[in-house]
Amino acid sequence: TDVMMRSVATRFALFVATAAVSIGTIGRTAPHLFMTLPFPLSIVLWAGTGNPMPPFILPDAQPWHPDEVKTWTRPGDVVVSAGVKAGTTWMLYCTHQIRLRGSDDADDLFREVSMVTPWPEFIQSRGGTWESQKAAWNETVLPDGTPLREYWDNDRYPFRIFKSHYAPSGGDSSNARLPIRTEGGRRLKFVAVARNGLDVASSMIKFFGDHSDDFRKLWGGFPPAMSASHEEDAEARITELLPGGMFEFIVFDYVKGWWSHRNDPNVLLLHYADLKRDLKGSVRKIAKFLDIDLSSKQLNAVTERCGIDHMRRNKHKFRYSLPLNDNGDRLWDRENGFIIHNIVNTGDLGRGQQSFTEDQKERWREAEESIFGSVSPELLRWAREGGPLPP
């Protein structure tokens, strides 16, 4: 019996070791295979083998390497790198309206946000690579026969617009990726937007639930659907965003990173609260930064189109498609598939104060005071409320 037990234990140990080696090999060479597994096993294996989260972001920020960025950008290109849930889609659409000065055909040219304002670090296919996607942006023909490039690299545009959520390179965060002060980065312009952290956390609760089931299927069930309990979801989101959480870079690393670059000549750092309080003045400020002169009539037209009412009337343009996906119809419908059910929301200021318990809000205040307050009182105030930037 002892011999039999030792034999079973040895075989089991060999099985575990073999499985661990196999999982590690898949994690290094073909981690997209984990996405065929049910959630949360898919994400446990993905993240547990050292792959970045979320799973649809290219590893190591390949498009933004200092030498690589010079291969696909042009002088004058604009990167809208707003924080997650800090008005990214809003600012992508607004900068598009600004570059066309609110022209009558600006909405027609803005067919869909993913087509018009590419997101370089976003993986559109399981197993996708930067090299394959870089080529596809120029070579893809849409189902109706239109070259995709006509929407994001149109001759009408005085500059092209790209999306990101990264902070400037040089920091100690995994999110510090944009080469703002390198040779390639200095020829670009960066629009960054921060938002009150509790409001970001509040918005993240609904945001997870707004993703389509087809998108979740593509990425191993991520992001998870909302539970039946608001309290459970609120605790999960705020824990993920606090220091030590899976997504701590979304608020704390992001804001600190851009703060240190707020006076760089190719950076415009904005606060979501200021955009909400004075949209017209913000449009004027963005246009000046982008070297676009707007007449009074054009300023009014652009401001109206950047407003919530106009964007709601055109919400079909903001559902985020995957025009580069090459996984086939079994996994993704290139013509009709979309990522988000509804991303055009009012984004009211102060929503976080109503979404969390006193204990959760206190944990957040303590983190802000520790991280932002240790830099300067001005950063702590601005991160929470916006307002004028100090010199």
Side-chain angles (χ1 to χ4, degrees):
T1 302
D2 289 344
V3 173
M4 184 180 295
M5 290 299 294
R6 285 196 297 271
S7 176
V8 170
T10 299
R11 290 180 181 181
F12 181 72
L14 286 172
F15 170 77
V16 171
T18 301
V21 170
S22 299
I23 290 171
T25 300
I26 293 171
R28 290 191 304 272
T29 61
H32 62 279
L33 295 178
F34 293 142
M35 297 298 101
T36 64
L37 301 174
F39 181 88
L41 180 60
S42 57
I43 300 303
V44 169
L45 293 178
W46 172 277
T49 51
N51 291 288
M53 287 294 292
F56 39 77
I57 297 298
L58 286 165
D60 200 28
Q62 295 155 348
W64 301 107
H65 286 193
D67 290 332
E68 176 63 21
V69 75
K70 293 185 287 186
T71 70
W72 59 272
T73 61
R74 296 176 188 160
D77 281 348
V78 172
V79 180
V80 174
S81 190
V84 175
K85 304 311 300 170
T88 311
T89 304
W90 185 20
M91 287 301 99
L92 290 170
Y93 183 62
C94 199
T95 51
H96 169 78
Q97 292 291 342
I98 288 171
R99 72 178 170 185
L100 291 177
R101 296 179 170 85
S103 64
D104 292 340
D105 63 346
D107 273 345
D108 293 333
L109 286 169
F110 200 94
R111 175 167 171 172
E112 196 276 331
V113 62
S114 293
M115 300 180 185
V116 182
T117 54
W119 187 3
E121 63 262 31
F122 180 70
I123 306 173
Q124 297 201 17
S125 305
R126 278 188 194 169
T129 65
W130 167 239
E131 288 302 323
S132 65
Q133 292 199 166
K134 183 168 68 167
W137 277 111
N138 292 295
E139 299 168 0
T140 297
V141 176
L142 299 173
D144 65 3
T146 305
L148 176 61
R149 186 167 185 165
E150 287 192 12
Y151 289 106
W152 67 272
D153 194 15
N154 195 285
D155 290 340
R156 288 276 310 283
Y157 303 156
F159 50 79
R160 305 175 308 177
I161 301 170
F162 297 98
K163 171 183 173 176
S164 183
H165 286 307
Y166 283 139
S169 60
D172 56 4
S173 166
S174 62
N175 199 48
R177 300 295 193 176
L178 298 180
I180 291 176
R181 292 176 177 171
T182 67
E183 179 185 352
R186 286 195 300 270
R187 65 183 190 167
L188 311 177
K189 292 188 175 184
F190 298 87
V191 178
V193 186
R195 185 181 183 185
N196 175 281
L198 268 183
D199 287 355
V200 171
S202 175
S203 186
M204 288 284 282
I205 299 172
K206 182 176 181 296
F207 180 62
F208 270 36
D210 279 341
H211 287 74
S212 70
D213 289 339
D214 287 339
F215 185 70
R216 289 195 182 93
K217 178 182 176 183
L218 187 63
W219 294 109
F222 188 88
M226 295 173 66
S227 72
S229 166
H230 169 81
E231 290 76 15
E232 181 180 324
D233 290 333
E235 177 60 26
R237 298 296 85 79
I238 202 166
T239 299
E240 290 162 353
L241 292 169
L242 280 166
M246 183 187 303
F247 299 125
E248 65 175 319
F249 58 84
I250 284 180
V251 175
F252 294 101
D253 293 349
Y254 177 90
V255 174
K256 277 185 63 179
W258 283 107
W259 181 258
S260 62
H261 289 262
R262 65 189 183 278
N263 294 319
D264 284 25
N266 60 336
V267 170
L268 177 63
L269 178 56
L270 304 168
H271 198 286
Y272 185 89
D274 298 321
L275 294 168
K276 291 284 291 184
R277 295 179 187 126
D278 182 11
L279 179 56
K280 189 172 185 178
S282 298
V283 168
R284 185 185 294 111
K285 178 185 293 187
I286 298 168
K288 181 179 180 181
F289 174 70
L290 300 178
D291 295 319
I292 299 292
D293 294 325
L294 296 177
S295 67
S296 178
K297 181 179 179 180
Q298 290 168 338
L299 176 62
N300 290 334
V302 170
T303 303
E304 189 275 329
R305 291 187 185 179
C306 294
I308 185 68
D309 292 338
H310 182 83
M311 291 188 68
R312 278 179 170 168
R313 289 195 296 270
N314 290 276
K315 62 183 180 181
H316 58 284
K317 296 178 180 290
F318 311 112
R319 302 179 82 187
Y320 283 91
S321 64
L322 300 179
L324 307 186
N325 184 278
D326 61 5
N327 291 138
D329 293 341
R330 183 180 63 83
L331 273 181
W332 189 260
D333 182 346
R334 275 186 59 204
E335 189 165 4
N336 300 304
F338 62 90
I339 299 176
I340 299 290
H341 287 288
N342 178 35
I343 205 166
V344 182
N345 299 297
T346 56
D348 295 332
L349 302 181
R351 178 184 294 175
Q353 292 296 325
Q354 285 75 51
S355 299
F356 300 103
T357 66
E358 290 303 317
D359 174 71
Q360 289 166 337
K361 289 187 285 188
E362 179 59 26
R363 286 156 57 197
W364 192 270
R365 281 193 294 269
E366 290 176 355
E368 287 180 321
E369 290 166 2
S370 173
I371 295 173
F372 296 149
S374 65
V375 175
S376 71
E378 291 82 9
L379 171 57
L380 177 61
R381 175 199 58 77
W382 185 84
R384 287 172 169 171
E385 306 170 2
L389 287 167

